[in-house]
Amino acid sequence: MNRTGRILLVTALVAVVAMAFRVSWNALRDIANAIGADHTAATLYPFVVDGLMALALVATLVLIGRDRTFALRVLGTYTLASLVLNYVHGLVPALHGATVDWGRLADWDPANWALVLLATSLPVGSIYFGSDLVAKVLHHRPEPIPTPVTNAEESTETIRNRSTADLPESTPAPAVANPVRMPDPIAVGFLKSALPLKPVPAIAPTPVKPIGSTPKSTVAATSPRPRGATGRVPEAARSPRPKRTPAQLLDEARTAMTGLPDGKVTAEGTRREVHTSPANARMLRDTLLTERAAAVGAP
């Protein structure tokens, strides 16, 4: 709706509300006279009831949450009270000419007491509820409206167009190496030479084709993450270590155990000093002890 239509709609609404207030004002003024209000108080009485209804309506449009629910309850309560008093004014013709007894709104006493209590409590309620609604409106802080992202679809489309998944020729496919059958590990006993491993042929690097058809644009190439170790490397894939001959092991054991008494020449000590297997260490210990015993028994 344009601005002119809105102005016309608000003007018509104000006119209708003003005419309805004038009709209700006559009934509420007569009710005020019947409960003992003077001329000035009876004239202002309709503003107390219907005026609070207008204030509650404005507060309903401004407040949110529980405060808005409270304003709606006040609006509904005072609307119902104004309807009841207008209804009583239409049922009691004596109220129109101010010939009714003072404080008498109905012939049945309980109904009369309830109507008088309702009519006299509305001004007090207007003071309380009106002050509360005004305080809530003044202390209300509207929530900030989030700023819409401009060109959101364009930015998303740009990112999608620059994705490397849409450019299959941006990076060459990783070269797949042909698996080579390795010889099964063979248990090698002590003093036996190990079989040489089968040489692995070198894998020639895969040539990368030049990129000629791709557009000249800078695109970040994604490289595969290095794969972590998944387990123990098999013996067949390990690089061969140099094997020492028994004579070399015996020479190292003699040098390491020189100066030690026979009681300290043990297999564990020999293994730690020479860095060999437990079986070789026991053999070296026995050989050293045998040589020392032979050297002592010789003349």
Side-chain angles (χ1 to χ4, degrees), residues 108-201:
W108 188 40
D109 290 339
N112 180 66
W113 297 337
L115 292 175
V116 172
L117 177 61
L118 175 64
T120 55
S121 61
L122 290 180
V124 180
S126 297
I127 297 174
Y128 174 76
F129 295 119
S131 302
D132 193 10
L133 289 176
V134 171
K136 291 181 182 299
V137 172
L138 294 179
H139 289 82
H140 173 68
R141 296 183 180 275
E143 297 181 357
I145 301 175
T147 304
V149 180
T150 57
N151 299 331
E153 296 181 356
E154 296 180 4
S155 61
T156 304
E157 185 68 19
T158 303
I159 295 174
R160 187 183 66 81
N161 290 338
R162 296 188 62 184
S163 175
T164 55
D166 296 336
L167 302 175
E169 298 182 358
S170 59
T171 54
V176 180
N178 297 326
V180 179
R181 176 64 179 175
M182 302 298 294
D184 297 333
I186 302 174
V188 180
F190 184 69
L191 301 180
K192 292 183 180 180
S193 59
L195 294 176
L197 299 178
K198 183 178 180 181
V200 180

Side-chain angles (χ1 to χ4, degrees), residues 30 33-34 89 92-105 107:
D30 293 342
N33 287 324
H89 181 266
V92 183
L95 291 174
H96 304 171
T99 59
V100 68
D101 295 336
W102 181 54
R104 195 71 184 177
L105 298 179
D107 295 334

Side-chain angles (χ1 to χ4, degrees), residues 38-145:
D38 57 7
H39 179 71
T40 303
T43 304
L44 297 177
Y45 186 82
F47 294 96
V48 173
V49 180
D50 294 342
L52 184 63
M53 292 168 52
L55 177 62
L57 179 59
V58 174
T60 302
L61 300 177
V62 175
L63 300 176
I64 59 175
R66 299 178 59 183
D67 295 340
R68 183 180 183 183
T69 303
F70 174 76
L72 286 174
R73 291 177 179 176
V74 174
L75 176 61
T77 301
Y78 269 73
T79 302
L80 181 61
S82 179
L83 176 62
V84 171
L85 295 180
N86 278 271
Y87 178 70
V88 172
H89 181 266
L91 289 179
V92 183
L95 291 174
H96 304 171
T99 59
V100 68
D101 295 336
W102 181 54
R104 195 71 184 177
L105 298 179
D107 295 334
W108 188 40
D109 290 339
N112 180 66
W113 297 337
L115 292 175
V116 172
L117 177 61
L118 175 64
T120 55
S121 61
L122 290 180
V124 180
S126 297
I127 297 174
Y128 174 76
F129 295 119
S131 302
D132 193 10
L133 289 176
V134 171
K136 291 181 182 299
V137 172
L138 294 179
H139 289 82
H140 173 68
R141 296 183 180 275
E143 297 181 357
I145 301 175

